[in-house]
Amino acid sequence: MGLVYPLPSIRHSASAKEIRLEDCLGKTVLVIGGGGREHAIVDALSRSPQVSKIYCAPGNAGIGEQAFSVPIRDTDVAGLLAFAKEHEVDLTVVGPEAALSAGIVDAFRAEGLAIFGHTKAATQIESSKEFAKKLMAKYDIPTASYTAFSDYQEALDYVKGRPFPAVLKYDGLAAGKGVVIAENLEEADAALKSMLLDESFGKGRVVVEDFLTGPEFSFMCFVNGTDVFPMPLSQDHKRAFDGDKGPNTGGMGAYTGLPFITEEDKEFAYKNILCKAAGAMVAEGCPLTGVLYGGLMKTPAGIKVIEFNARFGDPETEVVLPLLNSDIYDIFYGIATNDSRIVAPVWEEGVTLGVVLASKGYPGHYQKGYPITGLACVKAMVYHMGTAITDDNLVTNGGRVLMVVAGGKDVADARKKVYKEISKINCDNLFYRTDIAHCALDK
Ligand code: AMP
Ligand code: GLY
Protein backbone atom coordinates (compact mmCIF):
# COMPACT_ATOMS: atom_id res chain seq x y z
CA MET A 1 0.00 0.00 0.00
CA GLY A 2 2.92 2.35 0.49
CA LEU A 3 1.24 3.93 3.49
CA VAL A 4 3.79 3.21 6.16
CA TYR A 5 6.25 6.03 6.36
CA PRO A 6 8.83 6.21 9.13
CA LEU A 7 9.03 9.87 10.09
CA PRO A 8 12.60 11.17 10.04
CA SER A 9 13.90 12.42 13.36
CA ILE A 10 12.55 15.81 14.30
CA ARG A 11 14.54 18.89 13.35
CA HIS A 12 13.76 22.55 12.95
CA SER A 13 12.14 23.70 9.72
CA ALA A 14 14.62 24.12 6.91
CA SER A 15 16.62 27.31 6.81
CA ALA A 16 16.88 29.57 3.79
CA LYS A 17 20.34 28.09 3.03
CA GLU A 18 18.78 24.68 2.38
CA ILE A 19 16.73 25.86 -0.59
CA ARG A 20 17.87 23.92 -3.65
CA LEU A 21 17.89 24.77 -7.38
CA GLU A 22 14.69 22.82 -8.07
CA ASP A 23 12.98 24.94 -5.43
CA CYS A 24 13.08 27.76 -7.94
CA LEU A 25 11.40 25.70 -10.68
CA GLY A 26 8.30 24.13 -9.12
CA LYS A 27 5.23 25.51 -7.44
CA THR A 28 5.17 27.26 -4.09
CA VAL A 29 2.23 26.50 -1.81
CA LEU A 30 1.13 28.14 1.43
CA VAL A 31 -0.97 25.98 3.79
CA ILE A 32 -2.93 27.82 6.49
CA GLY A 33 -3.28 26.11 9.89
CA GLY A 34 -1.13 24.16 12.30
CA GLY A 35 -2.78 20.89 13.33
CA GLY A 36 -2.90 17.26 12.25
CA ARG A 37 -5.21 18.10 9.36
CA GLU A 38 -2.70 20.60 7.99
CA HIS A 39 0.14 18.11 8.49
CA ALA A 40 -1.80 15.62 6.34
CA ILE A 41 -2.41 18.31 3.69
CA VAL A 42 1.28 19.27 3.69
CA ASP A 43 2.21 15.58 3.48
CA ALA A 44 -0.10 15.08 0.48
CA LEU A 45 1.30 18.19 -1.23
CA SER A 46 4.85 17.00 -0.63
CA ARG A 47 4.02 13.92 -2.74
CA SER A 48 3.17 16.18 -5.72
CA PRO A 49 5.96 16.27 -8.31
CA GLN A 50 4.95 19.86 -9.17
CA VAL A 51 5.38 21.27 -5.69
CA SER A 52 8.87 22.31 -4.70
CA LYS A 53 8.28 24.57 -1.72
CA ILE A 54 5.64 24.49 1.00
CA TYR A 55 5.06 27.12 3.66
CA CYS A 56 2.75 26.48 6.57
CA ALA A 57 1.30 29.22 8.79
CA PRO A 58 1.69 28.74 11.66
CA GLY A 59 2.58 25.02 11.26
CA ASN A 60 3.96 22.91 14.12
CA ALA A 61 7.08 20.91 14.93
CA GLY A 62 6.15 17.91 12.76
CA ILE A 63 4.94 20.00 9.84
CA GLY A 64 8.34 21.74 10.03
CA GLU A 65 9.83 18.49 8.67
CA GLN A 66 8.08 19.01 5.35
CA ALA A 67 7.32 22.73 5.17
CA PHE A 68 8.78 26.08 6.18
CA SER A 69 6.97 27.29 9.29
CA VAL A 70 5.63 30.85 9.07
CA PRO A 71 4.76 32.52 12.38
CA ILE A 72 1.49 34.15 11.25
CA ARG A 73 -1.89 33.34 12.88
CA ASP A 74 -4.46 31.58 10.70
CA THR A 75 -6.95 34.48 11.03
CA ASP A 76 -4.43 37.25 10.26
CA VAL A 77 -5.74 37.71 6.74
CA ALA A 78 -3.73 40.87 5.98
CA GLY A 79 -0.52 39.27 7.25
CA LEU A 80 -1.06 36.08 5.24
CA LEU A 81 -1.92 38.05 2.09
CA ALA A 82 1.23 40.15 2.40
CA PHE A 83 3.30 36.98 2.96
CA ALA A 84 1.79 35.21 -0.09
CA LYS A 85 2.55 38.17 -2.33
CA GLU A 86 6.05 38.71 -1.03
CA HIS A 87 6.98 35.02 -1.39
CA GLU A 88 5.31 34.57 -4.80
CA VAL A 89 3.03 31.81 -3.57
CA ASP A 90 1.31 30.03 -6.49
CA LEU A 91 -1.47 28.51 -4.39
CA THR A 92 -2.80 28.88 -0.86
CA VAL A 93 -4.75 26.06 0.83
CA VAL A 94 -6.90 26.85 3.86
CA GLY A 95 -7.34 24.32 6.69
CA PRO A 96 -9.36 25.87 9.55
CA GLU A 97 -12.90 27.25 9.40
CA ALA A 98 -11.90 30.35 11.39
CA ALA A 99 -9.73 31.55 8.50
CA LEU A 100 -12.55 30.93 6.00
CA SER A 101 -15.03 32.77 8.25
CA ALA A 102 -12.54 35.63 8.50
CA GLY A 103 -12.89 36.04 4.72
CA ILE A 104 -9.41 34.92 3.70
CA VAL A 105 -10.63 33.50 0.37
CA ASP A 106 -12.46 36.70 -0.56
CA ALA A 107 -9.40 38.80 0.32
CA PHE A 108 -6.95 36.63 -1.69
CA ARG A 109 -9.25 36.44 -4.72
CA ALA A 110 -9.78 40.20 -4.70
CA GLU A 111 -6.00 40.47 -5.23
CA GLY A 112 -5.98 37.81 -7.96
CA LEU A 113 -4.28 35.10 -5.85
CA ALA A 114 -5.23 31.42 -6.23
CA ILE A 115 -6.65 30.02 -2.99
CA PHE A 116 -8.40 26.73 -2.17
CA GLY A 117 -11.31 27.19 0.23
CA HIS A 118 -14.77 28.70 0.39
CA THR A 119 -15.73 32.36 0.40
CA LYS A 120 -17.09 33.82 3.61
CA ALA A 121 -20.63 33.59 2.19
CA ALA A 122 -20.24 29.90 1.29
CA THR A 123 -18.67 29.11 4.67
CA GLN A 124 -22.04 29.88 6.26
CA ILE A 125 -22.96 26.28 5.50
CA GLU A 126 -20.80 25.53 8.55
CA SER A 127 -20.66 28.81 10.48
CA SER A 128 -24.43 29.26 10.75
CA LYS A 129 -26.49 26.25 11.82
CA GLU A 130 -29.64 28.14 10.85
CA PHE A 131 -28.33 28.92 7.35
CA ALA A 132 -27.56 25.22 6.87
CA LYS A 133 -30.94 24.12 8.24
CA LYS A 134 -32.86 26.58 6.01
CA LEU A 135 -30.86 25.44 2.99
CA MET A 136 -31.64 21.78 3.70
CA ALA A 137 -35.36 22.52 4.19
CA LYS A 138 -35.55 24.57 0.97
CA TYR A 139 -33.71 22.01 -1.18
CA ASP A 140 -35.17 18.88 0.40
CA ILE A 141 -31.92 17.56 1.86
CA PRO A 142 -32.66 14.98 4.60
CA THR A 143 -31.93 16.22 8.14
CA ALA A 144 -33.59 16.42 11.57
CA SER A 145 -36.48 18.92 11.70
CA TYR A 146 -35.79 22.02 13.77
CA THR A 147 -36.95 25.34 15.21
CA ALA A 148 -34.68 28.33 15.94
CA PHE A 149 -34.92 30.69 18.93
CA SER A 150 -33.27 33.86 20.13
CA ASP A 151 -35.37 34.17 23.31
CA TYR A 152 -34.38 32.03 26.28
CA GLN A 153 -37.92 31.64 27.72
CA GLU A 154 -39.47 30.76 24.36
CA ALA A 155 -36.79 28.15 23.75
CA LEU A 156 -37.26 26.67 27.23
CA ASP A 157 -41.07 26.48 26.84
CA TYR A 158 -40.64 24.76 23.49
CA VAL A 159 -38.20 22.20 24.90
CA LYS A 160 -40.56 21.51 27.85
CA GLY A 161 -43.25 20.31 25.45
CA ARG A 162 -40.96 17.86 23.60
CA PRO A 163 -39.40 14.46 24.28
CA PHE A 164 -35.84 14.13 25.64
CA PRO A 165 -33.01 13.97 24.77
CA ALA A 166 -33.21 17.49 23.33
CA VAL A 167 -30.62 18.58 20.76
CA LEU A 168 -29.57 22.22 21.23
CA LYS A 169 -27.17 23.87 18.80
CA TYR A 170 -25.67 27.32 19.10
CA ASP A 171 -26.00 29.10 15.75
CA GLY A 172 -22.38 29.97 15.11
CA LEU A 173 -18.80 28.75 15.37
CA ALA A 174 -18.22 27.47 18.91
CA ALA A 175 -15.08 25.33 18.53
CA GLY A 176 -17.08 22.09 18.70
CA LYS A 177 -18.71 23.05 22.00
CA GLY A 178 -21.91 24.52 20.61
CA VAL A 179 -23.96 21.29 20.58
CA VAL A 180 -25.62 19.98 23.72
CA ILE A 181 -27.61 16.75 23.87
CA ALA A 182 -29.69 17.43 27.00
CA GLU A 183 -31.01 14.29 28.72
CA ASN A 184 -33.49 16.20 30.89
CA LEU A 185 -35.00 19.64 31.49
CA GLU A 186 -32.32 20.63 33.98
CA GLU A 187 -29.52 20.05 31.43
CA ALA A 188 -31.51 21.79 28.68
CA ASP A 189 -32.16 24.77 30.92
CA ALA A 190 -28.47 25.09 31.82
CA ALA A 191 -27.45 24.93 28.14
CA LEU A 192 -30.06 27.47 27.02
CA LYS A 193 -29.05 29.81 29.82
CA SER A 194 -25.40 29.55 28.82
CA MET A 195 -26.11 30.07 25.10
CA LEU A 196 -28.91 32.67 25.20
CA LEU A 197 -28.64 34.49 28.54
CA ASP A 198 -24.91 34.36 29.34
CA GLU A 199 -24.00 34.41 25.62
CA SER A 200 -21.02 32.14 26.32
CA PHE A 201 -20.18 31.88 22.61
CA GLY A 202 -21.35 35.41 21.75
CA LYS A 203 -24.74 36.79 20.78
CA GLY A 204 -26.64 34.24 18.72
CA ARG A 205 -29.63 32.00 18.23
CA VAL A 206 -30.20 28.40 19.21
CA VAL A 207 -31.50 25.67 16.94
CA VAL A 208 -33.54 22.96 18.69
CA GLU A 209 -33.79 19.80 16.61
CA ASP A 210 -35.09 16.23 16.69
CA PHE A 211 -32.83 13.64 18.28
CA LEU A 212 -31.70 11.09 15.68
CA THR A 213 -30.13 7.68 16.26
CA GLY A 214 -27.76 5.47 14.24
CA PRO A 215 -24.07 5.25 13.33
CA GLU A 216 -22.41 8.49 12.28
CA PHE A 217 -19.91 8.85 9.47
CA SER A 218 -18.05 11.58 7.61
CA PHE A 219 -18.37 12.08 3.88
CA MET A 220 -15.95 14.68 2.50
CA CYS A 221 -15.98 15.86 -1.12
CA PHE A 222 -13.88 18.27 -3.15
CA VAL A 223 -16.42 20.71 -4.59
CA ASN A 224 -16.12 23.18 -7.45
CA GLY A 225 -19.59 24.67 -7.97
CA THR A 226 -21.71 21.73 -9.10
CA ASP A 227 -18.72 19.38 -9.63
CA VAL A 228 -18.50 17.09 -6.60
CA PHE A 229 -15.59 14.64 -6.19
CA PRO A 230 -16.12 12.15 -3.34
CA MET A 231 -13.39 11.04 -0.93
CA PRO A 232 -13.41 7.69 0.93
CA LEU A 233 -15.85 7.60 3.86
CA SER A 234 -14.46 7.74 7.38
CA GLN A 235 -15.64 7.66 10.98
CA ASP A 236 -14.47 9.94 13.78
CA HIS A 237 -14.58 9.11 17.53
CA LYS A 238 -15.74 12.25 19.31
CA ARG A 239 -15.79 11.10 22.95
CA ALA A 240 -12.60 11.18 25.00
CA PHE A 241 -12.66 7.64 26.42
CA ASP A 242 -13.15 4.01 25.38
CA GLY A 243 -16.72 2.86 24.84
CA ASP A 244 -17.65 6.36 23.60
CA LYS A 245 -17.66 7.62 27.18
CA GLY A 246 -16.56 10.98 28.54
CA PRO A 247 -16.70 14.50 27.14
CA ASN A 248 -16.84 15.44 23.46
CA THR A 249 -13.46 16.26 21.92
CA GLY A 250 -12.20 17.45 18.56
CA GLY A 251 -11.86 13.72 17.67
CA MET A 252 -9.78 10.92 19.20
CA GLY A 253 -9.28 8.68 16.17
CA ALA A 254 -10.68 7.79 12.77
CA TYR A 255 -10.60 5.08 10.13
CA THR A 256 -11.75 4.35 6.58
CA GLY A 257 -13.44 1.18 5.33
CA LEU A 258 -16.78 1.42 7.17
CA PRO A 259 -18.53 -1.97 7.00
CA PHE A 260 -21.95 -0.58 7.97
CA ILE A 261 -22.25 1.80 5.02
CA THR A 262 -23.14 0.09 1.73
CA GLU A 263 -22.36 1.30 -1.78
CA GLU A 264 -26.07 2.18 -2.12
CA ASP A 265 -25.85 4.27 1.06
CA LYS A 266 -22.83 6.10 -0.34
CA GLU A 267 -24.58 6.64 -3.68
CA PHE A 268 -27.67 7.97 -1.89
CA ALA A 269 -25.64 10.35 0.25
CA TYR A 270 -23.57 11.50 -2.72
CA LYS A 271 -26.60 12.32 -4.89
CA ASN A 272 -29.20 13.41 -2.36
CA ILE A 273 -26.98 15.18 0.14
CA LEU A 274 -23.54 16.28 -1.13
CA CYS A 275 -24.48 17.01 -4.78
CA LYS A 276 -27.80 18.59 -3.79
CA ALA A 277 -26.06 20.83 -1.27
CA ALA A 278 -23.48 21.88 -3.88
CA GLY A 279 -26.27 22.70 -6.36
CA ALA A 280 -28.21 24.55 -3.67
CA MET A 281 -25.21 26.74 -2.85
CA VAL A 282 -24.80 27.63 -6.55
CA ALA A 283 -28.52 28.50 -6.74
CA GLU A 284 -28.17 30.66 -3.60
CA GLY A 285 -25.34 32.62 -5.23
CA CYS A 286 -22.54 31.32 -3.01
CA PRO A 287 -20.93 28.37 -4.84
CA LEU A 288 -18.64 26.03 -2.92
CA THR A 289 -14.97 26.02 -3.95
CA GLY A 290 -13.28 23.78 -1.42
CA VAL A 291 -14.17 20.79 0.74
CA LEU A 292 -17.74 20.05 1.75
CA TYR A 293 -17.84 17.77 4.77
CA GLY A 294 -21.10 15.95 5.44
CA GLY A 295 -21.41 14.77 9.05
CA LEU A 296 -24.03 12.11 8.35
CA MET A 297 -26.03 9.57 10.33
CA LYS A 298 -27.51 6.29 9.08
CA THR A 299 -30.87 6.45 10.89
CA PRO A 300 -33.67 3.86 10.71
CA ALA A 301 -35.42 6.36 8.39
CA GLY A 302 -32.41 6.69 6.06
CA ILE A 303 -29.24 8.76 5.88
CA LYS A 304 -29.57 12.27 7.30
CA VAL A 305 -27.32 15.28 7.79
CA ILE A 306 -26.16 16.04 11.33
CA GLU A 307 -23.99 18.94 10.21
CA PHE A 308 -22.11 20.34 7.27
CA ASN A 309 -18.55 21.61 7.58
CA ALA A 310 -16.92 23.88 5.02
CA ARG A 311 -13.46 22.31 5.31
CA PHE A 312 -11.50 19.09 5.74
CA GLY A 313 -12.41 17.24 8.96
CA ASP A 314 -9.86 16.68 11.68
CA PRO A 315 -8.93 13.82 12.36
CA GLU A 316 -10.66 12.41 9.23
CA THR A 317 -8.21 14.10 6.83
CA GLU A 318 -5.30 12.25 8.43
CA VAL A 319 -6.80 8.88 7.44
CA VAL A 320 -8.34 9.92 4.10
CA LEU A 321 -5.54 11.85 2.33
CA PRO A 322 -2.93 9.06 2.65
CA LEU A 323 -5.24 7.05 0.33
CA LEU A 324 -5.09 9.68 -2.45
CA ASN A 325 -3.27 8.43 -5.54
CA SER A 326 -3.74 11.59 -7.61
CA ASP A 327 -1.71 14.79 -7.54
CA ILE A 328 -3.45 16.92 -4.92
CA TYR A 329 -1.95 20.11 -6.36
CA ASP A 330 -4.02 19.63 -9.54
CA ILE A 331 -7.21 19.24 -7.51
CA PHE A 332 -6.52 22.23 -5.26
CA TYR A 333 -5.31 24.47 -8.07
CA GLY A 334 -8.12 23.40 -10.43
CA ILE A 335 -10.75 24.36 -7.86
CA ALA A 336 -8.92 27.53 -6.82
CA THR A 337 -8.93 28.72 -10.44
CA ASN A 338 -12.43 27.42 -11.29
CA ASP A 339 -11.07 25.06 -13.95
CA SER A 340 -13.86 22.89 -15.38
CA ARG A 341 -11.38 20.20 -16.52
CA ILE A 342 -10.55 18.79 -13.08
CA VAL A 343 -9.99 15.03 -13.29
CA ALA A 344 -11.73 12.91 -10.63
CA PRO A 345 -9.20 11.85 -7.97
CA VAL A 346 -8.09 8.21 -7.76
CA TRP A 347 -8.01 6.47 -4.37
CA GLU A 348 -6.17 3.42 -2.98
CA GLU A 349 -8.18 0.26 -2.35
CA GLY A 350 -6.89 -0.40 1.19
CA VAL A 351 -8.01 1.11 4.46
CA THR A 352 -6.35 3.36 7.04
CA LEU A 353 -6.76 3.83 10.76
CA GLY A 354 -5.43 6.53 13.05
CA VAL A 355 -5.32 7.01 16.82
CA VAL A 356 -4.92 10.39 18.51
CA LEU A 357 -2.55 10.80 21.47
CA ALA A 358 -3.87 13.62 23.65
CA SER A 359 -2.59 15.47 26.72
CA LYS A 360 -3.96 14.09 30.00
CA GLY A 361 -6.88 16.28 31.02
CA TYR A 362 -7.93 17.12 27.43
CA PRO A 363 -10.57 18.34 26.47
CA GLY A 364 -10.48 20.10 29.84
CA HIS A 365 -7.43 21.71 31.42
CA TYR A 366 -4.04 20.19 30.52
CA GLN A 367 -0.32 20.97 30.84
CA LYS A 368 2.07 21.50 27.93
CA GLY A 369 5.82 21.02 27.49
CA TYR A 370 6.25 17.26 28.18
CA PRO A 371 9.09 15.67 26.16
CA ILE A 372 8.14 13.08 23.53
CA THR A 373 10.66 10.43 22.46
CA GLY A 374 10.66 7.26 20.37
CA LEU A 375 9.15 8.67 17.18
CA ALA A 376 12.18 7.69 15.08
CA CYS A 377 11.32 4.00 15.69
CA VAL A 378 7.69 4.32 14.65
CA LYS A 379 6.91 2.53 11.36
CA ALA A 380 3.70 4.38 10.65
CA MET A 381 2.81 7.93 9.67
CA VAL A 382 2.86 10.30 12.63
CA TYR A 383 0.86 13.47 12.06
CA HIS A 384 1.60 16.21 14.56
CA MET A 385 -1.46 17.96 15.99
CA GLY A 386 0.04 19.98 18.85
CA THR A 387 3.82 19.78 19.21
CA ALA A 388 6.70 22.22 19.54
CA ILE A 389 10.49 22.13 19.79
CA THR A 390 11.96 23.42 23.05
CA ASP A 391 15.74 23.30 23.54
CA ASP A 392 16.02 20.84 20.65
CA ASN A 393 13.48 18.48 22.23
CA LEU A 394 10.08 17.61 20.84
CA VAL A 395 7.43 18.49 23.44
CA THR A 396 3.65 18.45 23.80
CA ASN A 397 2.07 21.76 22.88
CA GLY A 398 -1.69 21.22 22.67
CA GLY A 399 -4.70 19.14 23.71
CA ARG A 400 -4.43 16.74 20.83
CA VAL A 401 -0.72 16.10 20.30
CA LEU A 402 -0.03 13.33 17.75
CA MET A 403 -1.98 11.04 15.48
CA VAL A 404 -0.47 7.72 14.45
CA VAL A 405 -1.88 6.43 11.15
CA ALA A 406 -1.26 3.13 9.36
CA GLY A 407 -2.68 1.45 6.30
CA GLY A 408 -3.74 -2.17 6.17
CA LYS A 409 -5.51 -4.80 4.13
CA ASP A 410 -8.52 -4.38 6.42
CA VAL A 411 -9.51 -2.42 9.51
CA ALA A 412 -8.29 -5.10 11.95
CA ASP A 413 -4.89 -5.20 10.26
CA ALA A 414 -4.50 -1.39 10.31
CA ARG A 415 -5.59 -1.22 13.95
CA LYS A 416 -3.08 -3.86 15.02
CA LYS A 417 -0.26 -1.98 13.30
CA VAL A 418 -1.21 1.40 14.82
CA TYR A 419 -1.37 0.19 18.42
CA LYS A 420 1.93 -1.67 18.02
CA GLU A 421 3.63 1.49 16.77
CA ILE A 422 2.07 3.68 19.49
CA SER A 423 3.69 1.48 22.12
CA LYS A 424 7.08 2.78 20.88
CA ILE A 425 6.23 6.41 21.74
CA ASN A 426 7.26 7.65 25.17
CA CYS A 427 5.69 10.64 26.90
CA ASP A 428 4.58 11.04 30.51
CA ASN A 429 1.48 13.06 29.82
CA LEU A 430 -0.38 11.41 26.93
CA PHE A 431 -3.47 9.19 26.79
CA TYR A 432 -5.34 7.57 23.90
CA ARG A 433 -8.38 5.43 23.21
CA THR A 434 -7.73 1.73 22.77
CA ASP A 435 -10.92 0.96 20.85
CA ILE A 436 -10.75 3.03 17.66
CA ALA A 437 -12.97 1.39 14.99
CA HIS A 438 -14.93 -0.59 17.58
CA CYS A 439 -18.08 -0.12 15.47
CA ALA A 440 -16.34 -1.95 12.65
CA LEU A 441 -14.65 -4.68 14.69
CA ASP A 442 -16.38 -5.46 17.98
CA LYS A 443 -19.43 -7.67 18.00
P1 AMP B 1 -22.39 18.65 15.44
O1 AMP B 1 -21.42 19.65 16.01
O2 AMP B 1 -23.63 19.25 14.83
O3 AMP B 1 -21.73 17.62 14.59
O4 AMP B 1 -22.88 17.79 16.71
C1 AMP B 1 -21.96 17.13 17.54
C2 AMP B 1 -22.47 15.75 17.85
O5 AMP B 1 -23.75 15.84 18.49
C3 AMP B 1 -22.72 14.92 16.61
O6 AMP B 1 -21.58 14.30 16.15
C4 AMP B 1 -23.75 13.95 17.10
O7 AMP B 1 -23.13 12.89 17.80
C5 AMP B 1 -24.54 14.76 18.07
N1 AMP B 1 -25.76 15.27 17.41
C6 AMP B 1 -25.89 16.44 16.76
N2 AMP B 1 -27.13 16.56 16.26
C7 AMP B 1 -27.81 15.47 16.61
C8 AMP B 1 -29.14 14.99 16.41
N3 AMP B 1 -30.05 15.73 15.74
N4 AMP B 1 -29.49 13.81 16.92
C9 AMP B 1 -28.59 13.06 17.61
N5 AMP B 1 -27.32 13.43 17.85
C10 AMP B 1 -26.93 14.62 17.36
N1 GLY C 1 -13.99 15.58 13.03
C1 GLY C 1 -15.00 16.57 13.11
C2 GLY C 1 -14.65 17.86 12.53
O1 GLY C 1 -13.64 18.03 11.89
O2 GLY C 1 -15.43 18.79 12.70
Side-chain angles (χ1 to χ4, degrees):
M1 292 240 326
L3 290 174
V4 176
Y5 322 90
L7 196 74
S9 61
I10 296 299
R11 60 174 170 78
H12 293 291
S13 45
S15 69
K17 274 183 285 187
E18 290 172 75
I19 298 171
R20 299 150 303 163
L21 177 63
E22 58 264 37
D23 293 342
C24 309
L25 306 175
K27 305 294 183 196
T28 298
V29 184
L30 168 63
V31 175
I32 313 285
R37 165 181 55 203
E38 288 75 22
H39 196 172
I41 293 170
V42 165
D43 186 44
L45 280 165
S46 71
R47 295 198 291 274
S48 165
Q50 303 173 69
V51 175
S52 58
K53 194 193 280 181
I54 309 173
Y55 293 108
C56 189
N60 65 35
I63 294 174
E65 286 287 310
Q66 289 165 294
F68 294 86
S69 299
V70 179
I72 305 179
R73 271 183 304 113
D74 60 19
T75 50
D76 179 358
V77 174
L80 293 165
L81 187 57
F83 180 89
K85 281 187 191 164
E86 190 186 335
H87 292 81
E88 297 179 357
V89 166
D90 296 293
L91 169 72
T92 299
V93 179
V94 187
E97 64 275 24
L100 298 170
S101 279
I104 192 167
V105 170
D106 310 67
F108 273 56
R109 287 198 187 146
E111 301 269 343
L113 298 189
I115 183 163
F116 175 84
H118 305 296
T119 60
K120 190 172 176 175
T123 302
Q124 285 182 96
I125 199 163
E126 169 167 6
S127 61
S128 167
K129 298 276 184 202
E130 202 178 354
F131 175 92
K133 281 299 204 181
K134 278 190 177 151
L135 188 87
M136 287 187 266
K138 183 168 170 188
Y139 292 90
D140 197 24
I141 297 169
T143 188
S145 56
Y146 80 103
T147 315
F149 297 90
S150 45
D151 182 75
Y152 158 75
Q153 195 57 50
E154 274 177 31
L156 189 66
D157 290 345
Y158 178 76
V159 168
K160 271 183 190 162
R162 289 167 47 88
F164 284 93
V167 181
L168 312 172
K169 299 186 174 183
Y170 172 74
D171 184 32
L173 292 178
K177 298 187 182 110
V179 176
V180 172
I181 313 286
E183 296 294 338
N184 51 47
L185 188 58
E186 205 181 346
E187 284 178 25
D189 189 22
L192 290 173
K193 265 195 186 120
S194 154
M195 291 178 191
L196 290 173
L197 289 185
D198 304 342
E199 298 178 356
S200 308
F201 307 114
K203 198 164 180 58
R205 284 155 68 84
V206 168
V207 168
V208 181
E209 67 177 42
D210 287 349
F211 179 74
L212 304 177
T213 55
E216 286 179 62
F217 61 103
S218 308
F219 192 171
M220 300 190 286
C221 294
F222 293 105
V223 184
N224 186 33
T226 51
D227 290 340
V228 181
F229 302 105
M231 303 187 213
L233 302 179
S234 56
Q235 191 182 42
D236 185 9
H237 295 62
K238 292 204 163 108
R239 301 296 197 99
F241 308 128
D242 283 2
D244 293 323
K245 301 269 182 340
N248 262 326
T249 69
M252 294 298 292
Y255 65 103
T256 63
L258 315 182
F260 49 88
I261 303 297
T262 62
E263 270 309 309
E264 294 79 66
D265 290 335
K266 187 171 181 186
E267 191 65 18
F268 174 88
Y270 176 70
K271 280 198 186 129
N272 296 290
I273 295 178
L274 279 304
C275 290
K276 253 194 196 176
M281 292 297 277
V282 171
E284 293 296 309
C286 41
L288 296 168
T289 51
V291 171
L292 178 62
Y293 166 123
L296 310 181
M297 189 183 267
K298 184 172 176 172
T299 79
I303 295 176
K304 298 196 180 188
V305 178
I306 293 289
E307 65 167 347
F308 281 124
N309 290 329
R311 52 169 173 83
F312 280 110
D314 193 354
E316 289 94 331
T317 305
E318 293 91 311
V319 292
V320 167
L321 286 188
L323 291 169
L324 182 62
N325 251 343
S326 304
D327 185 339
I328 202 164
Y329 184 87
D330 286 335
I331 304 167
F332 285 155
Y333 192 75
I335 294 176
T337 54
N338 193 22
D339 188 339
S340 56
R341 298 160 303 167
I342 300 165
V343 178
V346 177
W347 301 92
E348 290 260 359
E349 286 292 322
V351 306
T352 45
L353 184 143
V355 175
V356 172
L357 283 70
S359 294
K360 286 178 188 165
Y362 172 79
H365 181 72
Y366 58 84
Q367 309 278 336
K368 295 180 185 177
Y370 284 80
I372 306 165
T373 57
L375 289 192
C377 306
V378 174
K379 292 197 183 68
M381 189 61 211
V382 181
Y383 290 117
H384 290 231
M385 305 181 98
T387 59
I389 305 271
T390 306
D391 298 333
D392 272 344
N393 295 315
L394 182 71
V395 298
T396 63
N397 193 40
R400 293 186 296 171
V401 175
L402 298 170
M403 183 165 178
V404 180
V405 178
K409 63 181 189 315
D410 55 31
V411 178
D413 182 39
R415 172 151 102 166
K416 206 166 118 202
K417 281 186 198 161
V418 168
Y419 284 115
K420 179 169 169 240
E421 298 307 316
I422 285 178
S423 69
K424 299 175 183 169
I425 300 175
N426 306 307
C427 180
D428 283 345
N429 199 46
L430 294 179
F431 79 99
Y432 56 90
R433 280 182 60 159
T434 64
D435 67 345
I436 297 305
H438 65 89
C439 285
L441 295 173
D442 305 341
K443 293 284 164 311

